[in-house]
Amino acid sequence: SNELRQPPSLSVSPGQTASVTCSGDKLGEKYVCWYQQKPGQSPVLVIYQDSKRPSGIPERFSGSNSGNIATLTISGTQAMDEADYYCQAWDSSHVVFGGGTKLTVL
Amino acid sequence: EVQLLESGGGLAQPGGSLRLSCAASGFTFSNYVMSWVRQAPGKGLEWVSAISGSGTSTYNADSVKGRFTISRDDSKNTLYLEMDSLRAEDTAVYYCAKDQAFCTGSSCSFINIDYYAMDVWGQGTTVTVSS
């Protein structure tokens, strides 16, 4: 199955924009979801169908997907956004997760 | 309130079996695709299995194919994961998750991957495989 690749870590200062990338072969031809997971907690869906936000997710979370790269963008990053972020897509009747990106806000 | 509550985790020996359950409430269970996702200690998320709303279509990760079976009992609003031939590498927290897309009629017989996204997760149940 197709692999989804994410940078293991990313650091951002409070108030700045964080861009978490997810790359995969022809990823732009598939729908991508993004999940946030804080330590000791279950994952939370933050983006689905590339760019849609579930109810209750702040507007500072946005997504895009084109070519081979999907991007989760967090504008005006806050300390509470520090978490692991995972991309997810379907490939060949399988769900595939990226390896996850640990976002540090400092 | 939409809730998912997993149970059935515990310690199993290599080669042994366990059955996980996920009790759903707060939504019409039979109208949603349900999935199992696991997370090994200190590792990322790994999808395990998914089942269509009607239960007629199931999908499994290669790592569990032939060993794990996903099923659902809509009369009990419960999702199951039967795990056989357990291995040490199956040690993980197992989450059940609900799809965000509502299905009706014939659309419940398959998983529409264009709309698939896991919008509600349980708290997880821990499976440890060790002798």
Side-chain angles (χ1 to χ4, degrees):
Chain A
S1 60
N2 204 2
E3 183 181 341
L4 296 180
R5 296 172 292 278
Q6 298 182 238
S9 62
L10 178 67
S11 295
V12 64
S13 300
Q16 298 302 303
T17 296
S19 296
V20 184
T21 59
C22 173
S23 64
D25 187 40
K26 299 181 181 178
L27 188 56
E29 298 179 6
K30 306 165 188 174
Y31 278 122
V32 173
C33 304
W34 290 91
Y35 301 88
Q36 175 196 69
Q37 186 180 33
K38 297 181 179 179
Q41 298 184 17
S42 301
V44 173
L45 177 69
V46 294
I47 293 289
Y48 66 100
Q49 285 190 314
D50 294 342
S51 60
K52 297 181 178 179
R53 276 180 295 106
S55 61
I57 300 302
E59 290 185 7
R60 65 179 179 274
F61 288 86
S62 63
S64 63
N65 184 19
S66 179
N68 295 325
I69 298 177
T71 303
L72 170 69
T73 301
I74 310 172
S75 304
T77 306
Q78 300 182 9
M80 68 173 65
D81 300 328
E82 186 164 287
D84 294 327
Y85 291 87
Y86 297 90
C87 59
Q88 174 251 300
W90 274 85
D91 180 74
S92 302
S93 299
H94 289 69
V95 173
V96 182
F97 282 101
T101 297
K102 182 177 182 60
L103 178 67
T104 301
V105 182
L106 43 66
Chain B
E1 181 188 4
V2 176
Q3 282 192 326
L4 299 172
L5 186 61
E6 302 95 335
S7 61
L11 177 63
Q13 293 198 336
S17 299
L18 278 177
R19 187 175 84 157
L20 305 184
S21 300
C22 171
S25 60
F27 63 101
T28 52
F29 184 68
S30 60
N31 291 117
Y32 291 90
V33 170
M34 297 295 295
S35 303
W36 288 99
V37 175
R38 68 185 181 183
Q39 187 169 35
K43 302 297 184 181
L45 301 175
E46 180 188 13
W47 172 76
V48 175
S49 296
I51 186 167
S52 63
S54 66
T56 54
S57 297
T58 61
Y59 304 81
N60 298 285
D62 291 342
S63 58
V64 305
K65 197 165 292 184
R67 300 188 300 122
F68 290 10
T69 303
I70 188 172
S71 63
R72 62 192 300 159
D73 185 337
D74 291 348
S75 69
K76 296 182 179 179
N77 288 347
T78 301
L79 176 72
Y80 301 102
L81 185 68
E82 190 75 44
M83 303 187 296
D84 297 318
S85 303
L86 284 163
R87 306 167 180 169
E89 54 264 36
D90 296 320
T91 295
V93 174
Y94 284 73
Y95 298 100
C96 72
K98 165 191 165 292
D99 187 20
Q100 60 92 22
F102 179 86
C103 72
T104 59
S106 60
S107 73
C108 291
S109 63
F110 62 94
I111 295 176
N112 188 331
I113 64 174
D114 286 346
Y115 294 96
Y116 181 90
M118 293 170 273
D119 68 340
V120 179
W121 296 63
Q123 86 293 342
T125 187
T126 300
V127 172
T128 302
V129 183
S130 175
S131 55

